[in-house]
Amino acid sequence: MMEKYKGKKVLVVGLGKTGFALINLFTQLGCEIKVTDIKPIFDLNKQVKRLKKITPTPTMTLGEHKDEDFIEADIIVYSSSVDPNLPQLKVAREHGRQVYSDFAFAYENCTKPIVAVCGSHGRTIISHMIGYTLKLDRKNVFVGGTSDEPFINFLSLQSKEEIDYCVIEVSPQQLQTVETFKPVLAVYPNLEEKNLLGRFKTSSEYLDTALKVARNLGPENYLVANFDKLASNSVLRSSQAQTFWYSRKSFVTMGVISEIQGTHFHDKRIHSNIHFHSEFKVTDMRIVGVNNRENLMAAITACKALKVSDAAIQQCIEKFPGIPHRLEFVVEKNGVRFYNDSKSETMDELKVSLEAFKDPVILIAGGKEIEGIPFDKYANIIREKVRVLVLVGEVKESMNRILGDVTQTYLVGSFDESVLLAYQKSRTGDTILLCPGNESTDVFRDFEEKGNYYKKLIFQL
């Protein structure tokens, strides 16, 4: 199918991760590649170095978009971060060129069944849970649609013919660029009124775009939606698709059990009446937090609709570790559970993460010093949820001045010491949580490097 692009002149617009995924794909196809980015060259040093290592090296236009680049290309593909109303894209269309967003291009060339996770947030973890369960059920799966793993990467896979499902995270921005997107199954966990950075004129345009998928579905497709948040949404209610709802509450106590199909929490178990009745135990659930329980219900409902085995679903409940660096379960050592939440780099995110745990934790926090953070606002949550506080990094003195008396607090000189001390202070049944609440760039390149180093230290204990 991709043969038709061989040797074509391609213009890639935008030099982020998605841009490089596109360059990689079109290089494999032997295309003549040109890249353009509005950012000036001194902001793109790293990217230019990377481009120069590619053979043959793509031609570059940086710091501006030139009409002629767009007119001379056969195909123009732009990253989702690029505004679809860019004047040069319009010029290219007027000249009869093929213009795609990376998402639209991937969709047009994907021949496999797509499971789409839509909505405003929670998309990444639900996609990963569905992918994880399908893999346990011996299916070959591609999970993508984020900036870390663009949908376009599916087209570069050597083994793409063997893939059974593409589980794709779909944001309203991506839906702006494709009219006919129709997956086999769509999940809607939530919808919040947003108006994203000039991409949408109004929040109703944002909501309207987000619901485009539900409108495209037919009777042969499945729609999975959150009953607790979206039961009154008229577009979801009137969808042509076979619709399954999920709820953290019980359909029985809400009195709706006779009128809706789906998954609910009843009598300390998850019950699902899709295709046939199933029950799942939740006592040994790996991931923590109310939001994650809701996300799990979404994934179970989607998997039941796709006729995944009950055994695989039960295994997902017990084994799914979370997404790397976001309240990720790492390991249990001598009765102590370790979680990595290095992505939470603000105090508000730290608060949300602490609320996910039932019992008080041993918390490793700290990082880069930034003026004016009101640490006193977080004293109550630290008092309630933290048994031992280990502070590390540039900001440790500032945090200690305000939070040091709230709970048992220790200051350490290095990140290595913080993990060692937390483990020394732990006893059987404890949870140790890395949740910096501050940026990681005082010592590390980014939160990923910090999270990976944390995991390495744990396995060395």
Side-chain angles (χ1 to χ4, degrees):
M1 184 166 179
M2 300 300 291
E3 299 303 304
K4 62 185 173 195
Y5 301 110
K6 278 218 153 93
K8 296 270 192 199
K9 288 183 182 171
V10 177
L11 178 68
V12 173
V13 188
L15 267 181
K17 277 189 180 167
T18 309
F20 278 98
L22 288 163
I23 293 163
N24 173 36
L25 172 68
F26 289 120
T27 303
Q28 282 179 19
L29 292 167
C31 296
E32 194 181 313
I33 305 168
K34 193 173 227 181
V35 298
T36 177
D37 197 302
I38 198 75
K39 287 194 195 110
I41 189 156
F42 50 82
D43 286 350
L44 294 165
N45 281 336
K46 267 192 198 149
Q47 288 89 330
V48 172
K49 272 186 195 146
R50 248 182 98 180
L51 282 170
K52 286 186 175 160
K53 288 184 187 149
I54 296 167
T55 338
T57 303
T59 326
M60 300 170 226
T61 301
L62 306 176
E64 60 175 334
H65 291 314
K66 291 182 183 163
D67 286 9
E68 59 264 34
D69 290 343
F70 287 74
I71 296 165
E72 284 163 14
D74 300 314
I75 301 162
I76 294 113
V77 190
Y78 60 94
S79 305
S80 295
S81 56
V82 173
D83 184 348
N85 302 314
L86 195 72
Q88 286 81 4
L89 294 173
K90 192 172 171 225
V91 168
R93 287 189 191 99
E94 283 163 2
H95 280 78
R97 302 297 174 259
Q98 294 181 308
V99 179
Y100 300 95
S101 68
D102 65 283
F103 184 81
F105 187 82
Y107 177 58
E108 174 143 322
N109 293 288
C110 175
T111 53
K112 300 294 176 181
I114 293 173
V115 174
V117 183
C118 309
S120 301
H121 48 84
R123 297 185 300 254
T124 307
I125 193 156
I126 295 169
S127 307
H128 279 273
M129 282 174 177
I130 294 170
Y132 186 86
T133 314
L134 284 165
K135 283 174 191 165
L136 289 172
D137 211 31
R138 303 227 162 95
K139 299 282 187 283
N140 292 319
V141 188
F142 171 82
V143 180
T146 58
S147 57
D148 290 336
E149 184 66 90
F151 184 10
I152 205 84
N153 281 351
F154 166 72
L155 300 178
S156 302
L157 289 181
Q158 296 302 310
S159 61
K160 64 175 176 286
E161 289 318 310
E162 286 142 41
I163 293 287
D164 298 302
Y165 288 101
C166 289
V167 182
I168 304 299
E169 187 181 323
V170 186
S171 69
Q173 292 99 298
Q174 288 163 326
L175 289 172
Q176 267 184 311
T177 64
V178 50
E179 283 311 312
T180 53
F181 183 69
K182 188 176 177 182
V184 292
L185 181 149
V187 184
Y188 278 89
N190 47 54
L191 278 173
E192 289 189 358
E193 293 206 6
K194 289 183 179 176
N195 177 15
L196 291 168
L197 303 173
R199 285 290 289 268
F200 299 92
K201 293 184 189 71
T202 58
S203 53
S204 66
E205 187 195 339
Y206 169 87
L207 290 174
D208 212 44
T209 309
L211 285 162
K212 207 189 269 187
V213 183
R215 286 195 192 89
N216 287 346
L217 299 177
E220 71 284 8
N221 307 125
Y222 296 118
L223 172 63
V224 169
N226 184 338
F227 188 81
D228 304 336
K229 290 181 178 162
L230 301 170
S232 60
N233 186 291
S234 58
V235 176
L236 298 175
R237 277 278 191 203
S238 60
S239 170
Q240 297 297 298
Q242 300 173 58
T243 304
F244 303 123
W245 297 91
Y246 64 91
S247 171
R248 288 211 327 263
K249 302 177 199 141
S250 159
F251 288 157
V252 180
T253 41
M254 288 191 283
V256 295
I257 188 79
S258 57
E259 61 190 89
I260 53 181
Q261 268 193 299
T263 309
H264 63 128
F265 192 73
H266 177 68
D267 214 11
K268 296 188 179 160
R269 288 187 170 220
I270 291 173
H271 293 253
S272 194
N273 62 350
I274 301 165
H275 302 311
F276 58 87
H277 182 262
S278 306
E279 273 181 42
F280 303 102
K281 299 201 297 283
V282 287
T283 35
D284 296 328
M285 196 170 140
R286 260 283 148 83
I287 52 170
V288 292
V290 173
N291 291 348
N292 279 336
R293 276 184 220 128
E294 198 167 276
N295 295 332
L296 183 69
M297 299 292 269
I300 290 172
T301 311
C303 289
K304 274 285 289 176
L306 296 170
K307 302 186 175 153
V308 172
S309 73
D310 284 4
I313 294 172
Q314 184 64 51
Q315 222 179 330
C316 171
I317 294 169
E318 291 167 21
K319 297 273 194 306
F320 181 73
I323 306 175
H325 318 300
R326 306 182 195 189
L327 274 182
E328 169 194 15
F329 175 79
V330 183
V331 72
E332 187 170 317
K333 261 195 163 166
N334 300 326
V336 178
R337 294 163 79 99
F338 287 85
Y339 284 85
N340 163 28
D341 192 39
S342 67
K343 193 173 193 298
S344 291
E345 294 189 297
T346 68
M347 290 302 289
D348 283 345
E349 289 170 326
L350 178 136
K351 181 175 186 284
V352 171
S353 296
L354 287 175
E355 284 164 351
F357 292 91
K358 273 214 236 21
D359 299 316
V361 301
I362 295 173
L363 173 66
I364 301 171
K368 190 178 169 75
E369 174 100 63
I370 293 172
E371 290 295 307
I373 297 173
F375 292 116
D376 49 340
K377 252 177 61 183
Y378 305 95
N380 287 343
I381 189 81
I382 301 281
R383 188 179 290 114
E384 183 194 342
K385 292 287 191 182
V386 180
R387 186 170 77 74
V388 177
L389 177 60
V390 182
L391 295 174
V392 65
E394 281 177 11
V395 76
K396 65 184 176 197
E397 305 289 350
S398 307
M399 288 183 82
N400 183 52
R401 271 198 297 280
I402 295 164
L403 300 171
D405 297 338
V406 172
T407 186
Q408 191 182 339
T409 304
Y410 298 90
L411 278 72
V412 293
S414 72
F415 190 68
D416 295 50
E417 279 176 72
S418 71
V419 178
L420 199 58
L421 181 77
Y423 191 49
Q424 281 167 357
K425 297 289 170 197
S426 69
R427 38 185 193 240
T428 304
D430 270 345
T431 294
I432 295 175
L433 169 67
L434 166 68
C435 183
N438 299 269
E439 286 177 22
S440 301
T441 48
D442 55 338
V443 176
F444 297 95
R445 191 174 58 244
D446 51 28
F447 72 84
E448 288 170 330
E449 189 180 44
K450 186 175 203 167
N452 289 333
Y453 190 59
Y454 171 65
K455 290 191 268 193
K456 189 176 142 192
L457 292 174
I458 293 165
F459 290 112
Q460 287 170 357
L461 286 171

